[in-house]
Every structure is written in C-alpha cells, then in structure tokens.
Amino acid sequence: MKIAILPGDGIGPEIVAEAVKVLNVLELGFETETALVGGAAYEAHGHPLPDATLQLAKGADAVLFGAVGDWKYDTLDRPLRPEQAILGLRKNLGLFANFRPAICYPQLVDASSLKRELVSGLDILIIRELTGDIYFGQPRGRRIATDGHFPGAEEAFDTMRYSRPEIERIAHVAFQAARKRKAAGGEGRVTSVDKANVLETFQLWKDVVTEIGLQYADVALDHMYVDNAAMQLVKAPKKFDVVVTGNMFGDILSDAAAMLTGSIGMLPSASLNDKNQGLYEPSHGSAPDIAGKGVANPLATILSAAMMLRFSLNQPEAAARIEKAVDTVLSQGLRTPDIYSEGTTKVGTVEMGNAVVKALG
Ligand code: IPM
Ligand code: MG
C-alpha cells in the first residue's frame, strides 16, 4: 500500500507533518512518498500540478493532501493558479464523491458560533458531487456579448451541467451512506439539495435522485432548495442526516456546516472514485495569514488520515484509534487558537500533534 503525501502551501506542510507523525507511530507498514503541489510546485516546476505529482497520486492507494493557495498567486493565469492542482487531481483521479462530515464534539460545543442547544450532538454528513457542475462544465470563458442586457459589452460565462449517470452515481453513494448510518443507529435520511425551482440542471438532479431513491426503500428522502438549506443549516442543523448536493452548492454549504462544529479546523474530508481510491484533505484552506506561525489546527488533517485508513486502506481499527486519541486530547482541554475558549489550554500545531501521538497509547 502506498500513500502519496502532498502538503501544498500555507499551513499545509505544518498540518500534514503532524498527520504523518501520527501515521508513522501506528507502524502500519505503508510506503509513503512526498511531492510538491500547488503554489510550492509552481515555484519549483512552473506548474501547480506537475506530471510527476499527478503520476504519484494516480499510482498511490491514497493521497493525503494539505491545502493549496496563496493570495500572491491570484494574478497568475488561471491554469497556473494553485487551486488548479486540487481541481486537476479531482478530475484526473475521477474523485466524484466528496464526504464532508460535520460532527460537533461535546468538548467543543461552546466554540461554535451557534447556541449550544442547536449544535450539541450534531452529526451530519454532506456528500458533495466533486467532478461536475459549473466547476468543470464547458464552455466557459470571456467574450464580447452579442445578446443579453448589454450587447457589445465584455462578459464572462460558465456552464452548469450534469448528466444522468453523474447524478445517479452520487445519489447511490448518498443512499448507501445513509443506509450505513442507519445500521449504526442513525436516522437513515437523505436530503437532496437543489435549485430545481430555477435551474434545468437541478430539475434533472431532483428527478434522478428521486428515481434512485426508489431503490432504497429503507432510506427516507426529502428535497430542499439550496437557499432554504443554507437557512436550515444555521436554524436547525440537527434536522439533517445525509445531505447530497452538487459541486458548487456543496462547496458553499460545507463551509457553513463546518463552522457549526466550532471551527473549520476540525473538519476532515474524503474524496473517492469508483475504485475507492481516495484523496483525503482537511475541509479548510491554506490559511496563508497564519502559515509558519505554528498555530494551525492539525486535527482536521489528522482526522482525514483516519478517514483514509478506513475508506481506502482497510484499517478501521487504526482509524478508530486516531479518532479516539483526538477525542482524548480535546477532553484534556488542549486547544489550538481556533477552538480556544476560556478555561482550556492553548497549544500550537506541533504540541497538538504530539498530544495526539501520546494519546494513541
Ligand atoms: C474546497 C475548496 C476548493 C473548491 C478550492 C480550493 C478550489 O474551496 O475544497 O471546498 O472550491 O472546491
Ligand atoms: Mg470550499
């Protein structure tokens, strides 16, 4: 088994180092290989996703990814910007199914910006389609408008599109995840988030998800418009179980859901293809403003490594050990600044990583 380690930019290298430390202590015998990605790869090789990095990722059983991006690259041509690295990996590896669990640890209820009773016990799973939608739809570009409100003016355009098989496969992923959660005591409900009241793309989405739902009589299905879903997420987030949605709505809603848990610094994610090969990354970004200061929260990345062990590397016990260790350090009151509250102990990135290692027992 081989893991490709892609630390990336900003806080990426700091948080990935802590996750690798945790993995090494477990001595699972995996081979690891590290490569540059994002702005770091652009600096060294002139491209955010050099072919060697892509081939390493393709040949690995799993990819552990930090984060990419920095404001200093915002003026580069789009194909050279760091974000293209993660988009290119998703596309080239066919990582269509993105799992973003939002779990509020009891120790962190007071770090949430919402009232304790709204988030206490929160455990929802956002499943975001990751290789289609307006993110990848062609055509896109800039041109001079020939129609619309201002013919002759410069305009830009992107294309929102989904095909039936793309919707079918992500719907299956969502229903199966809900079924699994039900078996583990969960509610077993999928909420499909769309904008079918306005968009053709999402009318097809809704129709296809409804059809696939007929194959899962044991799982409940409801539909919600994305604007309402955004409102419900901050009004009554515990009413959700599994949420399935398109690429762009999923991007937006998963940031909102992350914040319910106290800090986006706590949220892992898994992006899988149809062979269960996966890329694992924290849901947060590269946070260039705090990079190099040793204050970033490594727990989302450490929890992403646990997801990797469970989903792609068939090591559920090791995954559970990591998750338990994270729970332990939170119970010990250790907090990076993003989750700090009065009465707890503020620690840095490395200290937090070391504490998790120690808690592994
Ligand atoms: C995410 C990020 C990415 C996205 C960016 C970095 C391209 O926001 O993973 O949510 O928009 O998908
Ligand atoms: Mg995002």
Side-chain angles (χ1 to χ4, degrees):
M1 292 279 194
K2 185 165 179 178
I3 307 173
I5 312 280
L6 309 182
D9 307 321
I11 58 172
E14 298 164 58
I15 54 181
V16 167
E18 297 313 307
V20 169
K21 193 153 84 185
V22 170
L23 285 171
N24 284 340
V25 171
L26 291 172
E27 291 186 352
L28 299 167
F30 300 133
E31 189 193 331
T32 61
E33 193 176 333
T34 304
L36 294 174
V37 75
Y42 171 77
E43 300 283 352
H45 304 291
H47 197 280
L49 183 58
D51 196 50
T53 301
L54 177 59
Q55 294 316 324
L56 170 68
K58 273 188 161 169
D61 297 286
V63 180
L64 185 64
F65 190 92
V68 290
D70 191 304
W71 303 300
K72 68 182 177 207
Y73 303 116
D74 282 356
T75 52
L76 288 176
D77 283 346
R78 185 168 304 280
L80 296 178
R81 290 192 208 168
E83 290 78 9
Q84 293 304 311
I86 184 65
L87 296 173
L89 284 165
R90 289 172 184 170
K91 185 176 172 180
N92 280 288
L93 274 68
L95 305 169
F96 72 92
N98 182 218
F99 290 69
R100 297 194 167 182
I103 296 170
C104 186
Y105 285 82
Q107 303 93 320
L108 296 182
V109 273
D110 294 317
S112 173
S113 40
L114 293 196
K115 289 193 205 105
R116 156 181 274 277
E117 59 268 27
L118 288 186
V119 295
S120 168
L122 180 84
D123 177 357
I124 64 180
L125 172 62
I126 297 192
I127 296 188
R128 169 186 177 195
E129 199 290 332
L130 205 57
T131 51
D133 203 354
I134 196 163
Y135 267 59
F136 292 96
Q138 294 292 339
R140 54 186 282 160
R142 285 191 189 216
R143 65 188 169 196
I144 300 300
T146 53
D147 55 8
H149 294 298
F150 292 99
E154 183 184 15
E155 70 171 3
F157 60 102
D158 299 276
T159 303
M160 176 177 274
R161 56 193 287 184
Y162 265 123
S163 65
R164 173 175 283 273
E166 282 178 295
I167 304 167
E168 285 176 354
R169 64 181 181 178
I170 195 71
H172 279 295
V173 168
F175 286 114
Q176 279 161 23
R179 182 176 271 174
K180 244 189 171 160
R181 284 164 67 93
K182 191 175 180 182
E187 195 194 338
R189 187 163 48 90
V190 170
T191 301
S192 171
V193 171
D194 64 57
K195 191 70 188 176
N197 51 342
V198 179
L199 302 170
E200 287 305 324
T201 313
F202 277 91
Q203 183 63 57
L204 178 66
W205 175 281
K206 186 174 183 177
D207 294 348
V208 174
V209 173
T210 304
E211 274 174 49
I212 300 298
L214 298 175
Q215 300 172 33
Y216 296 85
D218 53 324
V219 178
L221 169 65
D222 52 32
H223 304 272
M224 202 181 275
Y225 297 139
V226 62
D227 47 351
N228 186 24
M231 183 174 82
Q232 298 303 331
L233 265 180
V234 290
K235 186 176 169 216
K238 284 192 270 183
K239 288 204 176 140
F240 292 102
D241 181 14
V242 173
V243 173
V244 65
T245 191
N247 204 344
M248 184 159 69
F249 298 159
D251 177 46
I252 299 165
L253 294 181
S254 62
D255 265 30
M259 214 41 225
L260 303 174
T261 69
S263 167
I264 196 167
M266 292 298 301
L267 254 82
S269 83
S271 306
L272 301 178
N273 65 17
D274 51 12
K275 298 187 283 289
N276 262 353
Q277 193 188 17
L279 181 146
Y280 299 82
E281 58 174 328
S283 286
H284 60 71
S286 55
D289 52 327
I290 57 164
K293 296 189 177 153
V295 296
N297 186 347
L299 293 179
T301 316
I302 291 172
L303 290 167
S304 298
M307 282 185 105
M308 172 175 83
L309 293 174
R310 182 170 287 119
F311 286 162
S312 289
L313 303 175
N314 201 20
Q315 293 278 351
E317 286 96 17
R321 261 182 88 189
I322 295 180
E323 286 157 355
K324 194 158 159 265
V326 168
D327 196 70
T328 303
V329 302
L330 292 175
S331 293
Q332 290 166 348
L334 304 182
R335 303 281 187 274
T336 43
D338 57 308
I339 49 175
Y340 175 77
S341 61
E342 235 181 80
T344 60
T345 312
K346 205 180 273 185
V347 296
T349 312
V350 174
E351 262 177 294
M352 187 59 111
N354 289 345
V356 173
V357 165
K358 205 163 154 215
L360 284 171

